[in-house]
Amino acid sequence: MSAVIYASFFTLVSFDLDKENTEDFWWTDWNEVQRSRRAALNYGCRHVKNARGKSLHKLLTVRKYLYNLLVDDRHKAIYCYVPKVACTNWKRIFMILSGKSNSTDPLSIRSYVPHEEGVLTRLSSFRSRSFVLNEKLKTYTKFLFVRHPIERLVSAYRNKLVINSTSAADFKKRFGVDILRRYRKGDDAQNISKSGDGVTFAEFVSYLIDRRHDSLHSLNEHWALYVDLCYPCSIKYDIIGKYETLEEDSEYILRRIGANPNLHFPPFVTSRTGPLVAGYIASLPDELAEKLHELYKPDFKLFEYEFYN
């Protein structure tokens, strides 16, 4: 429905109708979308086990938990980034918004630059007293982007433990070797790759379930739950963006915070991961698939996603 609304909006613009009317159409429909998403989130926060996470007082006291929240004081905006949910492009945009780049085209910024430590301002890095941070959280426009939890997980698995790249090589050594040692049995255990290559999706999922059981906040940010990265039940986000409506939601955010009218989110490239997800789920034993669903249940419920059957 949202994609249709967005298309309709630009159809109206192309016919050069009254500007005020098209703006009213735009804001009314997207505000309604946001109200619906926030209502589902609030309901989930009250009723879903393990959804609430740390209190706001705890977050403000132990600043490390605010690491994923990026701050743009110029436009009074706070963005909680989630790896594998278009965060590279949104970090590029934040560099432009906050004056960390003179570029006007997000794609002109090399992809590794926004991820370098110190490039963007994190809420966790502020030395201000807690009430100052709390005031930012109360008054700034706060937003995050989410994606189907398992599609995001499959994307992270493929990107960090399957493909051949410099980044993947690092993850394979950090995580792949450990996963193989934990879950390879019998003769296969004698042939564990020192580079961490060859981790199956089932082994990866088993590792996640066991790690989460050991500690609620022990997963790497590329596969950690949204509730552990952005604390949506403790921080009241104004806008909940979704990967499925990425361009529409991004345009909504940029216009709301008063970004330069010429600044837009880069054109959306359809994910190649989506069509593969059902196959990865089918490769898991039923018991393991059920445990995976249970692991990410807070994210499913809070952001209105359904598990693959």
Side-chain angles (χ1 to χ4, degrees):
M1 179 180 71
S2 58
V4 173
I5 291 170
Y6 188 61
S8 299
F9 169 71
F10 282 105
T11 300
L12 288 172
V13 173
S14 68
F15 280 104
D16 197 28
L17 295 178
D18 179 73
K19 180 180 178 182
E20 183 177 354
N21 288 341
T22 57
E23 286 181 350
D24 288 345
F25 181 84
W26 166 254
W27 288 111
T28 299
D29 284 299
W30 280 104
N31 281 329
E32 185 57 38
V33 169
Q34 290 304 316
R35 278 193 290 270
S36 175
R37 291 177 182 177
R38 288 194 300 268
L41 172 61
N42 292 335
Y43 181 86
C45 288
R46 294 194 303 271
H47 296 92
V48 178
K49 182 181 179 182
N50 295 329
R52 181 155 296 280
K54 300 188 182 303
S55 67
L56 181 59
H57 175 74
K58 184 71 172 181
L59 297 178
L60 293 172
T61 303
V62 185
R63 303 286 174 82
K64 68 177 182 179
Y65 297 125
L66 299 172
Y67 183 82
N68 284 57
L69 275 73
L70 305 178
V71 183
D72 168 25
D73 284 316
R74 287 185 173 187
H75 298 85
K76 295 187 176 181
I78 294 176
Y79 161 52
C80 184
Y81 76 88
V82 177
K84 308 308 299 176
V85 192
C87 75
T88 297
N89 280 339
W90 257 109
K91 285 183 176 182
R92 284 166 162 159
I93 287 176
F94 247 59
M95 288 182 64
I96 296 171
L97 288 171
S98 59
K100 300 297 176 66
S101 171
N102 293 323
S103 174
T104 57
D105 176 13
L107 293 181
S108 69
I109 302 172
R110 300 187 70 175
S111 60
Y112 69 86
V113 174
H115 301 294
E116 293 183 331
E117 197 65 37
V119 171
L120 292 167
T121 303
R122 302 177 185 273
L123 200 60
S124 60
S125 68
F126 278 80
R127 300 303 177 202
S128 309
R129 298 180 67 177
S130 293
F131 77 87
V132 176
L133 268 65
N134 192 31
E135 186 64 19
K136 290 181 186 290
L137 286 170
K138 283 184 177 180
T139 59
Y140 282 22
T141 299
K142 301 167 292 300
F143 66 95
L144 76 163
F145 275 84
V146 296
R147 179 183 189 179
H148 190 286
I150 305 304
E151 182 179 327
R152 172 180 171 247
L153 184 66
V154 169
S155 178
Y157 164 71
R158 289 169 55 81
N159 186 252
K160 299 302 182 184
L161 293 171
V162 176
I163 68 170
N164 293 318
S165 69
T166 302
S167 174
D170 176 58
F171 270 75
K172 288 174 185 178
K173 288 180 180 178
R174 289 170 58 196
F175 299 100
V177 173
D178 182 37
I179 293 172
L180 291 171
R181 286 174 177 167
R182 285 174 181 241
Y183 302 103
R184 286 291 164 95
K185 307 296 181 183
D187 293 339
D188 287 343
Q190 305 302 317
N191 301 312
I192 290 177
S193 168
K194 293 183 179 179
S195 63
D197 283 302
V199 174
T200 68
F201 188 63
E203 290 168 336
F204 176 57
V205 170
S206 295
Y207 169 79
L208 298 180
I209 292 168
D210 289 343
R211 286 290 290 164
R212 177 74 175 179
H213 178 74
D214 293 340
S215 172
L216 291 179
H217 304 281
S218 61
L219 300 182
N220 179 270
E221 68 172 4
H222 288 82
W223 39 80
L225 279 69
Y226 302 136
V227 297
D228 293 340
L229 293 175
C230 297
Y231 304 97
C233 292
S234 298
I235 297 172
K236 293 186 177 180
Y237 288 91
D238 303 287
I239 302 170
I240 300 166
K242 291 197 172 185
Y243 191 77
E244 297 79 9
T245 52
L246 179 60
E247 282 191 271
E248 302 96 304
D249 293 341
S250 296
E251 186 71 11
Y252 173 90
I253 292 165
L254 289 170
R255 303 292 71 84
R256 173 161 171 171
I257 65 175
N260 187 309
N262 295 320
L263 180 61
H264 302 281
F265 194 85
F268 177 67
V269 178
T270 303
S271 170
R272 292 174 292 181
T273 304
L276 305 175
V277 175
Y280 276 100
I281 295 299
S283 73
L284 300 176
D286 290 345
E287 183 181 359
L288 194 58
E290 290 175 7
K291 289 182 178 179
L292 178 63
H293 183 207
E294 190 64 27
L295 172 62
Y296 286 92
K297 188 174 182 178
D299 287 350
F300 278 104
K301 294 296 185 182
L302 267 58
F303 298 105
E304 302 177 282
Y305 288 106
E306 297 293 331
F307 190 68
Y308 288 83
N309 294 319

